Structures are given as structure tokens and as C-alpha cells.
Amino acid sequence: LNVALLPNTAGCHSVREAVTTAHMARELFDTPWIKLEVIGHADTLQPDPFGLVEAARILTDDGFQVFPYCTEDLVLCERLVEAGCRVLMPWGAPIGTGLGLNNIYGLRSLRAHFPDLPLVIDAGLGLPSHAAQALEMGADAVLVNTAIAVADDPVNMAKAFRLLLVN
């Protein structure tokens, strides 16, 4: 069985931690893919935009395909693309909140500005309807964790997301 993995630098709060973690993941999983997180705020888990761009540049220069966890800020996303990112993973809302899409205008602006770049909504989705809304507004995919992990019935919640996304 051949399974593609997307290692993650979750929990990293500095460029150095993120870059080191990415290098370890590449060695361990033999993949150039890395979901890049550089956390700037411990409570909200908001990304550090400055550290994110710096780490993205270092890693793309080193041959990684970087999937950055970011906000919907257009300037930040332009810098990430300039740094070599070919996918953007903006949050819908802060990690684990389940609030859905907090800034629809910002996400739509991002989609309009980068019409051909894969856009994956990563974080803040709490319901299958949130995922549907993200896809309806032009996102290419969604990444869901907490909504399923903390659900009263995680198996049925996962099935609900799957049914939405497959149909």
C-alpha cells in the first residue's frame, strides 16, 4: 500500500523549529511535501506571518514543496507565493474553534487574486456545511480535524464530511 503523507510542523513557534522539523520529516517519510506552521500566538494558534514567510523561503530553496498554514491576508499570501509556495492553506477560523468561515470577503479576495493556485481551507471548520460553503466559494479542498476529533460521534461526523465532499 502506497500512501502519500503530508508531514506537518504543528507546534513549532520559531523558524528554526519549523525548518528542523521539516528536515526530520523529509528524512523520515521520504517526501518533499511539508505543511508549514509557524505559530505566532499561543492561545489562538494564529500563524506568525513573518516567520512563516522566512521559513517558507528557506524550505522552498531547499527543495521542499511547502503547504503554508496562513491567514487569509492577501499581502501575506503574496509573500508566500513569492517565497515559492504553490499551494495556500488559509484558515477559515482559528484552529479548533469550529466557527466556520470568519472572513468570507478575505477568502473570496484570495481566490480571485490567485485563481489558479490550489487553495485549501485549513482550520476552524466545525460542520459539514462550513466545508460546503468553502467549496462553494472556490476553495479546492478543506482540511478537517477538530470537528471530527471532538464530535460526540466522530465516525458519523467523518461520514457526514465525506458524504458532503464526495457528492
Side-chain angles (χ1 to χ4, degrees):
L1 180 65
N2 186 6
V3 177
L5 296 177
L6 179 59
N8 189 344
T9 65
C12 293
H13 291 264
S14 72
V15 171
R16 182 176 179 199
E17 288 176 334
V19 169
T20 300
T21 300
H23 281 103
M24 289 189 303
R26 181 167 62 184
E27 283 188 41
L28 185 61
F29 298 112
D30 192 31
T31 179
W33 290 5
I34 192 72
K35 178 184 169 197
L36 179 62
E37 294 186 29
V38 180
I39 300 302
H41 191 269
D43 292 333
T44 65
L45 303 178
Q46 180 172 337
D48 170 357
F50 310 103
L52 190 62
V53 171
E54 182 181 346
R57 184 167 287 115
I58 291 167
L59 292 170
T60 57
D61 286 349
D62 196 27
F64 282 88
Q65 294 174 32
V66 177
F67 298 64
Y69 163 66
C70 55
T71 66
E72 71 285 355
D73 182 277
L74 189 55
V75 175
L76 168 60
C77 290
E78 285 178 341
R79 297 297 183 273
L80 289 167
V81 170
E82 289 168 4
C85 297
R86 299 295 169 249
V87 173
L88 294 172
M89 298 180 72
W91 66 0
I95 292 174
T97 62
L99 295 172
L101 305 180
N102 276 357
N103 185 352
I104 292 170
Y105 172 79
L107 292 169
R108 283 190 176 138
S109 296
L110 199 58
R111 173 77 294 160
H113 192 74
F114 297 108
D116 300 321
L117 200 66
L119 190 65
V120 179
I121 303 302
D122 176 17
L125 304 181
L127 301 169
S129 59
H130 296 155
Q133 185 181 22
L135 297 174
E136 288 168 356
M137 56 147 252
D140 296 289
V142 297
L143 190 64
V144 181
N145 177 19
T146 305
I148 295 168
V150 303
D152 290 337
D153 187 345
V155 171
N156 278 331
M157 181 64 92
K159 285 179 183 176
F161 273 98
R162 183 179 181 278
L163 285 172
L164 165 89
L165 299 173
V166 171
N167 295 320

